[in-house]
Amino acid sequence: MYLNSGYLHNSLIDFKDKSKPLIIGSCGTYRLFRHPKLPTYRPRGRLDFQIIYVSAGSAHFHFDNAANNTIVTAGHMVVFRPKEFQKYEYYATDKTEVYWVHFTGGNVKNILRSYGIKDDMRVFYSGTSLEYERIFKRMIYELQSCRKDYEEMLVLLLRHLFILIHRQLTRQLVLKNEFLDGEMDLAAQYFNANYNTEINIKEYAASRGMSISWFIRNFKEYTGITPMQYIISIRVTNAQILLETTNYPVAEIGHIVGYENPLYFSRIFHKQKGFSPSQYRKLRK
């Protein structure tokens, strides 16, 4: 097993200090080769905050209670807050390598929030990066060497880490939004091209690998209306055009825009426009 760590004032005792916005208490790394297991058990947690970066292999975390077992793989970070139950293990068979940092301060919660680390986040994807490792190693060195202004340097290094995390979290959100926008745009195009046919929204959602509730919710966020409202809007708009520019019977217009039942078409049109198709045609003429 390889271990390298540094502690503020060479003290291994965790502490809470609100005299400054952000204070780094310790930082270190573990790398398991032959040592079979490295467990940590703190039923009452610690007084400070902790971030663990899994840079290689995987680790086993038991959030809330010992019965839960969450396997956290390389490229993820774990956040522990003060007094949170802590139980986790590293195994040599998993070829685990982790970096960790403990910190406290009077404004930690707001600082974490400002970098996109929300209060309910425990595990998040950060990606693997040598830059993360360089920051952790530099923090270890600063704690070990205690050179001039090292406490300020530690804060700057931790904020550097937070910035990289924030960029990664923001990038994931952008990619997620781009995917959602693309899917909703495809759906809108499909509805526009097939509005006058019998569209089964549930089947369409399933064909794109989405649940019906998830699809309807995200489509409404994208367009402002539900998929069915969107289809009805297209049908009614095209019916208006036909009523204004042709002499086709109302029943035929209803059929053209996708309604087999003339009475149902009239009812839908009246609900949307406040007039029946016949009344609308007379008013426009």
Side-chain angles (χ1 to χ4, degrees):
M1 181 179 75
Y2 174 79
L3 163 67
N4 192 18
S5 58
Y7 292 83
L8 187 66
H9 309 312
N10 292 318
S11 173
L12 276 66
I13 301 173
D14 58 313
F15 63 94
K16 180 180 180 179
D17 187 343
K18 293 189 175 182
S19 62
K20 296 178 182 178
L22 188 60
I23 301 168
I24 288 71
S26 60
C27 185
T29 181
Y30 292 117
R31 193 183 311 145
L32 270 66
F33 298 111
R34 296 177 183 174
H35 196 77
K37 179 181 178 180
L38 181 62
T40 297
Y41 182 58
R42 302 186 185 109
R44 296 183 180 180
R46 290 176 55 106
L47 297 176
D48 53 15
F49 290 77
Q50 180 183 18
I51 286 182
I52 300 173
Y53 166 53
V54 183
S55 61
S58 60
H60 295 252
F61 288 84
H62 307 268
F63 298 113
D64 296 325
N65 61 73
N68 293 332
N69 183 24
T70 301
I71 299 176
V72 178
T73 56
H76 289 80
M77 293 195 185
V78 176
V79 184
F80 282 114
R81 292 164 179 82
K83 298 182 180 180
E84 282 187 346
F85 174 85
Q86 293 187 19
K87 184 178 188 298
Y88 49 90
E89 300 94 22
Y90 308 140
Y91 294 94
T93 54
D94 294 330
K95 298 180 180 179
T96 306
E97 182 176 357
V98 299
Y99 291 84
W100 50 266
V101 58
H102 290 283
F103 51 98
T104 184
N107 197 34
V108 175
K109 287 185 179 180
N110 289 328
I111 291 172
L112 290 175
R113 290 168 187 159
S114 70
Y115 290 110
I117 304 174
K118 301 177 182 177
D119 295 349
D120 60 349
M121 289 175 68
R122 284 184 166 174
V123 182
F124 58 89
Y125 180 73
S126 61
T128 55
S129 171
L130 290 176
E131 188 66 20
Y132 295 145
E133 296 183 24
R134 281 194 285 266
I135 292 171
F136 280 107
K137 288 176 181 177
R138 184 62 188 273
M139 284 194 286
I140 294 169
Y141 174 73
E142 290 292 336
L143 284 163
Q144 291 173 343
S145 61
C146 300
R147 297 192 298 174
K148 183 177 175 58
D149 301 321
Y150 76 98
E151 292 185 44
E152 184 178 352
M153 178 61 77
L154 286 167
V155 171
L156 293 174
L157 288 167
L158 185 55
R159 282 189 175 272
H160 186 186
L161 179 67
F162 288 159
I163 289 170
L164 295 180
I165 291 172
H166 194 202
R167 287 179 177 177
Q168 178 62 33
L169 293 174
T170 303
R171 179 174 175 272
Q172 291 175 49
L173 181 61
V174 169
L175 290 175
K176 180 182 177 182
N177 288 341
E178 287 179 351
F179 168 77
L180 286 177
D181 288 352
E183 282 294 333
M184 297 309 110
D185 188 60
L186 282 175
Q189 291 181 39
Y190 177 83
F191 296 153
N192 271 284
N194 300 277
Y195 76 91
N196 59 345
T197 64
E198 186 177 347
I199 297 175
N200 188 311
I201 296 171
K202 185 175 182 179
E203 288 181 0
Y204 175 82
S207 73
R208 302 298 301 175
M210 313 174 213
S211 70
I212 182 64
S213 58
W214 189 90
F215 172 64
I216 290 174
R217 182 174 66 253
N218 284 280
F219 188 88
K220 187 174 182 179
E221 288 181 4
Y222 183 72
T223 63
I225 54 178
T226 66
M228 184 50 68
Q229 289 171 334
Y230 187 84
I231 294 168
I232 290 173
S233 175
I234 298 171
R235 288 175 172 174
V236 170
T237 298
N238 283 289
Q240 283 181 258
I241 295 171
L242 291 172
L243 288 166
E244 294 176 17
T245 60
T246 74
N247 292 318
Y248 295 160
V250 170
E252 186 176 351
I253 289 175
H255 179 76
I256 291 171
V257 299
Y259 293 105
E260 296 292 336
N261 188 323
L263 292 177
Y264 184 65
F265 165 59
S266 294
R267 188 160 61 248
I268 290 291
F269 192 94
H270 188 278
K271 185 177 180 180
Q272 295 294 313
K273 297 299 176 181
F275 302 97
S276 69
S278 298
Q279 290 171 329
Y280 181 83
R281 172 173 270 170
K282 289 177 182 179
L283 287 170
R284 295 303 294 176
K285 286 186 179 299

